[in-house]
Each structure stands twice: as C-alpha cells, then as structure tokens.
Amino acid sequence: MIDFFVNLDVRILLFLNGLNHELLDPYMKAFSGQWIWLGMYAALAAVLVWKFGWKKAIILMAAIGIAVALSDSFSARIVRPFFQRLRPANLDNPISSLVHIVGDYRGGRYGFPSCHAANSFALAVSSALMLRSKKYTAFIFVWAVLQCYSRIYLGVHFMGDLIVGALIGSTFGYLGYLCTRPQCRQFNPKSSTWPVLIVGIATMILIELIILF
C-alpha cells in the first residue's frame, strides 16, 4: 500500500512538473521566494491594525508569527529528520534526472513535509479566521495553493510533501486563532481587507514586470 502511494506521488510530481515552460521558470522561482511578499505581509499587518486597533493587532500578529514559526520548526526539525525523504531534484534521488529544475536550484536534502506549504497555510488559516472576509479568504488560499504549486514546478517537493505540510500549517494556524479568539470578537465593521488583495495582486504583476524588463 505504501509503495502504491509513493509511486502515485512520483507520477503526479512528474506530470505537474512536466507542465513547464521557459517563460514560466523565472516567474515561478520568484513567486516561490519569501522576501518578495514583504509588501503583502505589511498590508496584512495594516489591515489588522485598522480592524482591531493597535493592542489587539499586535497580539494577532504575534499569534500568526508564532503559528508560522512553529509550523516551520516542527516540519524542518522534527518530521523531516524522522522520515528523511529526499527531494525530487536531489541528485541522490533516482528520479532527479527526470525532474525539471530551474537555475540549478534543488533545495535542501530532505523535503517531507514542505515548510513552504506549512508556513503558507499557517498564515492563510490563522489570518482568514481572524479577518472573516470572504474576499480575503479566497485570495489568501489561492496564494497558498500557488505557493505549493511553485514548489512542484521547481521540482523540490512531491505532492505528498505539500499536502502534509499544508495540514501541519493549517493545524498550527487554527491553534493560533483559537488562542486569540477573544480578541477577534470585537472589531471595526468599516474595515476592509482590500489593501492585502491589492498589494498581493500587484506583487504578482510586479514579478512579471521585473522578469520582462
């Protein structure tokens, strides 16, 4: 049974990773980066302040940060050393020669679970529950899924790595929300999440413009 799922994971990876194009290579590598999204994170912080006020917003931001940090640490320091599953693009992996990579980027040695997926979903779940906005929830989960897809595109994670990482991140994100639920009960009804959407979408467009020009 385990062999069946492992083989299925390999087939899914090779299929999705095979849907590549040279024009998408630099975009996916940039999209997968962490620092490129600093503007969106800042916009999220501003929205939290606008919606809940400074005191509550600091608590909420701390909860989101801790959820992300715990997701990352649990995935990288506990789960990965235990399972020691090689990344698809790792040269010691027999399928590495079949994997499309970008700019010789192969990631670290082990990839199960994906820290990118864990961190993205920890942020998405905790912030979506706090803000309770349908537009924001739809946007941030699309963003998190695209983060995951970029890791498959780059050949550094299997689908299983991403699914388990997303589950870990979602769990810590939900726990982060539970710890701050009393602070989330009263908020400014006139507040809007549009700044996060605008900055996030603008960042996606900016990545393309930087690559083209």
Side-chain angles (χ1 to χ4, degrees):
M1 182 62 71
I2 295 177
D3 289 341
F4 170 79
F5 284 109
V6 170
N7 291 332
L8 179 62
D9 217 8
V10 171
R11 291 179 183 179
I12 293 174
L13 175 278
L14 293 178
F15 173 74
L16 293 177
N17 175 258
L19 301 176
N20 59 75
H21 192 281
E22 59 181 7
L23 294 179
L24 282 175
D25 286 0
Y27 188 88
M28 285 299 172
K29 187 173 182 179
F31 194 99
S32 185
Q34 297 295 310
W35 301 110
I36 194 79
W37 301 104
L38 282 178
M40 188 182 78
Y41 303 148
L44 173 58
V47 167
L48 288 171
V49 172
W50 185 14
K51 189 177 185 71
F52 297 101
W54 276 105
K55 294 182 179 179
K56 290 182 179 180
I58 290 175
I59 296 174
L60 299 180
M61 284 185 276
I64 293 173
I66 291 172
V68 171
L70 289 175
S71 298
D72 187 87
S73 181
F74 180 75
S75 299
R77 299 184 181 183
I78 297 177
V79 185
R80 280 187 183 178
F82 180 80
F83 287 98
Q84 297 185 358
R85 187 186 194 190
L86 293 172
R87 293 177 184 266
N90 188 282
L91 292 175
D92 291 329
N93 195 318
I95 71 165
S96 62
S97 61
L98 304 175
V99 177
H100 171 76
I101 62 172
V102 178
D104 203 33
Y105 171 68
R106 296 178 183 272
R109 183 169 179 79
Y110 303 127
F112 178 85
S114 166
C115 288
H116 263 74
N119 299 345
S120 298
F121 273 85
L123 170 67
V125 170
S126 57
S127 60
L129 289 172
M130 292 171 183
L131 292 174
R132 287 174 281 181
S133 164
K134 292 181 180 180
K135 294 188 296 292
Y136 174 79
T137 298
F139 167 79
I140 202 65
F141 276 98
V142 167
W143 172 81
V145 170
L146 288 176
Q147 281 282 320
C148 291
Y149 173 71
S150 72
R151 306 305 286 172
I152 285 184
Y153 186 97
L154 297 174
V156 294
H157 282 297
F158 292 100
M159 179 65 78
D161 304 345
L162 299 167
I163 292 174
V164 174
L167 290 173
I168 291 172
S170 297
T171 299
F172 280 107
Y174 183 67
L175 291 175
Y177 162 72
L178 286 181
C179 292
T180 59
R181 187 160 54 178
Q183 283 73 34
C184 297
R185 289 174 181 169
Q186 294 182 344
F187 56 90
N188 177 6
K190 296 182 180 180
S191 62
S192 172
T193 58
W194 275 110
V196 183
L197 277 64
I198 292 171
V199 175
I201 294 172
T203 302
M204 297 179 189
I205 298 173
L206 179 62
I207 294 173
E208 184 64 29
L209 292 177
I210 292 174
I211 292 170
L212 290 176
F213 300 103

